[in-house]
Amino acid sequence: MSAVPLSQVAVQLRPNDNVAVAARHLPEGMEIQHNGATLGLPQRIGMGHKLALRDIKKGEAVYKYGQIIGFASQDIPAGSHVHVHNVAAEAFERDYAFCRDCPPPPSPAEPRSFMGFDRGDGRFGTRNYIAIISTVNCSASASKYISDRIKETQLLRDYPNVDGVVAITHKAGCAMQYDGPDHNQLDRTLAGFAKHANVAAYILVGLGCETGQAIHLIEHQGLIQLNGARKKPQVITIQECGGIRKTVDAGVKLIAELLPEVNDIKRTHLPASKIVLGTNCGGSDGNSGVTANPALGVASDLLVAQGGASIIGETPEIYGAEHLLTRRAVSRQVGEKLVERIKWWEWYTSIFGAQINNNPSPGNKEGGLTTIYEKSLGAIAKGGSTALVDVVGYAEPVKAKGFVVMDTPGYDPVSMTGIVAGGANVLVFTTGRGSVFGCKPAPSIKVATNTPMYQHMIDDMDIDAGVILEGRPVEEVGRQIFEEILAVAGGKKTKSELNGVGEEEFAPWSIGPTL
């Protein structure tokens, strides 16, 4: 068999990279032509995994995306598989160069629009839900039973403009310091869902004796009800009602009273600037940073050009690549906010004897990701190329227009919970291994990084970015994602919505301790 050109079987992302990413499974013994030399593969290299383009000496930096992703822990001959067995994530200095590469605002774009919900109070939604918000885990079952009862009675059939009734349940709400960091962060997260543009109305359901009292949530977060009407939300507690059955009866009655008013809200033409995009990657593989994430970055740039906002989170998965974002910051203050969060995460993981490089996960590594630096460099591609305009805390309202970083853990449900609480009204979730994430009340568009997984999980994936490995331009797939964002914002159902996924994924971040 004659040697095949590298470009036909693998991707070298930058000219100075000393590794390339396999675009398909490469068999042992294959010969690859690169820069006038022939590379023989001494072993099979799986799709998404890396091969050495030249000899890499022990201690030498390994480059992908034109950036350091680790250091050779042993000599790596040209053509060899480059992975955890011969690469380590050693510490290295990063030049933050604050604001040095801050790009100018994007050129004005032809205005685009979608059919959404104008709440009349500065909120603009893509869905029209009623939420049942549990203040504590002790009322989670009762909250779910209220939602189930509504569905069982098929009451929603009479209200076609209501997208559904969703129970927001969780495992927290007590055994935490009263008015402490966890209490206030949980309040902020719950309030973010109550105030969410995709939630037209809600009720609060508690046990009655929990630390996370509804009154604390209402007063500290300024909660009001339905479309800005100046009235406090409805609160019911199991202890006051006299048990679960009576609580469920009371909750169903309250929802039934809200339904006609919520159903009266109709979709209307809204500019694309009203979209707040939440992005995440989960079940990543070696092609996440080659296909889906860069394409999502293109879509992010297109939305920012429309005057919208685009959010990335997962601070531990920015680690090692944060210097590329500080250089894009609109001010040193914004860049310093990101660095402060990186330092906090170094401290936070150290007090538990953990290391940030415990990430990538076993599944990530099986998919070809070797170090946290490599994963981070691929992850930040979701943020496109526009200026970093703000860095916000977990579940904090995102008020800026443009590209924003939210400080969240890397765990997908926890990260996306914070991003939705911050106001994201459409989500795009990239995956190489096959994550099936949904998060009501925000619709979640799933983008596959490779075609085999897309085809294997066709009922859960919305877009195949694996076509980039076959020669489709990244920009073209990015525009496809952008058009899908507009369509979904206007009411098109995502695969996760069609499958009913999204009611169990609410997972607020608890920073501890549990008392």
Side-chain angles (χ1 to χ4, degrees):
M1 181 184 297
S2 60
V4 298
L6 179 74
S7 60
Q8 291 184 12
V9 295
V11 180
Q12 183 184 17
L13 292 165
R14 299 290 186 276
N16 66 324
D17 287 352
N18 50 16
V19 298
V21 183
R24 57 181 174 86
H25 297 305
L26 309 181
E28 177 183 349
M30 172 179 266
E31 293 187 338
I32 297 174
Q33 197 75 28
H34 176 61
N35 284 349
T38 299
L39 305 176
L41 304 189
Q43 68 268 98
R44 175 185 181 274
I45 296 178
M47 183 174 63
H49 286 248
K50 297 174 291 298
L51 65 142
L53 295 178
R54 59 172 177 79
D55 292 342
I56 304 173
K57 298 297 183 183
K58 181 179 179 180
E60 187 179 346
V62 178
Y63 284 89
K64 180 182 174 183
Y65 307 107
Q67 300 291 325
I68 294 173
I69 65 167
F71 297 85
S73 57
Q74 62 187 55
D75 288 346
I76 307 174
S80 296
H81 184 205
V82 178
H83 202 27
V84 293
H85 63 288
N86 53 20
V87 176
E90 305 292 344
F92 69 98
E93 291 295 322
R94 272 94 81 187
D95 180 5
Y96 290 134
F98 296 104
C99 314
R100 189 185 72 187
D101 302 326
C102 183
S107 302
E110 179 184 348
R112 300 295 301 278
S113 64
F114 68 100
M115 296 296 290
F117 297 97
D118 185 348
R119 302 294 179 197
D121 56 7
R123 297 178 302 142
F124 301 91
T126 65
R127 295 294 184 269
N128 199 35
Y129 277 101
I130 296 176
I132 304 158
I133 299 175
S134 179
T135 61
V136 64
N137 179 250
C138 306
S139 59
S141 291
S143 300
K144 189 71 168 61
Y145 296 159
I146 294 169
S147 174
D148 291 344
R149 177 85 68 80
I150 294 292
K151 294 169 186 174
E152 289 166 3
T153 59
Q154 298 188 342
L155 187 61
L156 291 173
R157 288 188 307 179
D158 298 329
Y159 302 100
N161 294 326
V162 181
D163 285 300
V165 174
V166 57
I168 306 297
T169 64
H170 53 95
K171 307 300 182 187
C174 209
M176 56 188 177
Q177 178 186 348
Y178 183 82
D179 204 34
D182 257 335
H183 188 182
N184 289 319
Q185 183 161 279
L186 178 61
D187 272 6
R188 189 167 67 246
T189 308
L190 294 173
F193 275 68
K195 298 175 180 179
H196 198 278
N198 291 359
V199 173
Y202 61 92
I203 64 172
L204 302 177
V205 182
L207 176 62
C209 59
E210 63 268 21
T211 302
Q213 290 285 309
I215 189 64
H216 186 280
L217 171 62
I218 292 168
E219 291 182 350
H220 283 69
Q221 296 296 325
L223 293 189
I224 55 177
Q225 186 58 284
L226 196 64
N227 293 326
R230 305 307 301 182
K231 57 183 180 181
K232 289 186 177 180
Q234 297 280 0
V235 180
I236 53 176
T237 66
I238 295 170
Q239 290 166 356
E240 286 189 3
C241 286
I244 289 180
R245 182 180 61 80
K246 294 176 183 177
T247 303
V248 173
D249 290 342
V252 171
K253 182 175 182 295
L254 289 174
I255 298 295
E257 293 171 354
L258 291 170
L259 278 168
E261 193 170 354
V262 174
N263 190 64
D264 285 343
I265 306 168
K266 305 292 195 304
R267 288 186 181 270
T268 186
H269 279 283
L270 296 174
S273 60
K274 304 306 181 185
I275 293 176
V276 180
L277 176 66
T279 70
N280 224 89
C281 47
S284 300
D285 68 356
N287 280 316
S288 292
V290 179
T291 62
N293 289 351
L296 178 51
V298 171
S300 172
D301 287 350
L302 292 171
L303 180 62
V304 169
Q306 292 286 328
S310 179
I311 310 166
I312 66 169
E314 303 180 287
T315 313
E317 297 179 13
I318 291 173
Y319 189 75
E322 72 275 9
H323 59 291
L324 301 181
L325 297 183
T326 58
R327 299 175 188 194
R328 286 165 52 187
V330 294
S331 69
R332 186 182 182 96
Q333 180 184 18
V334 169
E336 292 279 13
K337 286 168 70 175
L338 179 58
V339 175
E340 186 276 328
R341 288 289 83 199
I342 293 290
K343 300 300 182 185
W344 183 90
W345 275 97
E346 290 179 330
W347 166 82
Y348 181 64
T349 52
S350 71
I351 65 174
F352 297 103
Q355 295 179 339
I356 297 180
N357 198 44
N358 286 346
N359 196 341
S361 69
N364 294 153
K365 292 175 181 177
E366 188 175 337
L369 291 174
T370 302
T371 68
I372 186 57
Y373 304 143
E374 179 184 8
K375 187 174 183 180
S376 295
L377 287 162
I380 66 168
K382 302 190 302 293
S385 62
T386 61
L388 173 62
V389 298
D390 203 4
V391 176
V392 299
Y394 185 81
E396 286 187 1
V398 172
K399 299 177 179 178
K401 296 292 189 178
F403 170 52
V404 176
V405 169
M406 177 180 286
D407 180 32
T408 77
Y411 184 35
D412 313 329
V414 180
S415 175
M416 274 302 212
T417 294
I419 288 172
V420 173
N425 52 18
V426 178
L427 311 177
V428 176
F429 192 103
T430 65
T431 180
R433 305 290 293 167
S435 292
V436 293
F437 183 80
C439 189
K440 295 177 181 178
S444 176
I445 300 166
K446 234 68 83 295
V447 181
T449 73
N450 63 86
T451 299
M453 187 276 287
Y454 172 80
Q455 293 174 342
H456 184 60
M457 301 185 67
I458 190 71
D459 294 333
D460 298 283
M461 299 296 124
D462 297 283
I463 292 176
D464 177 17
V467 295
I468 292 169
L469 299 175
E470 300 165 7
R472 186 85 60 84
V474 171
E475 291 74 15
E476 184 178 321
V477 178
R479 288 191 173 277
Q480 180 187 358
I481 295 172
F482 176 67
E483 294 298 334
E484 188 74 0
I485 290 168
L486 290 175
V488 167
K492 179 182 177 180
K493 298 293 185 184
T494 65
K495 295 287 183 68
S496 65
E497 290 179 297
L498 293 172
N499 290 329
V501 177
E503 196 159 335
E504 306 294 337
E505 285 73 12
F506 179 78
W509 179 18
S510 176
I511 53 179
T514 299
L515 303 175

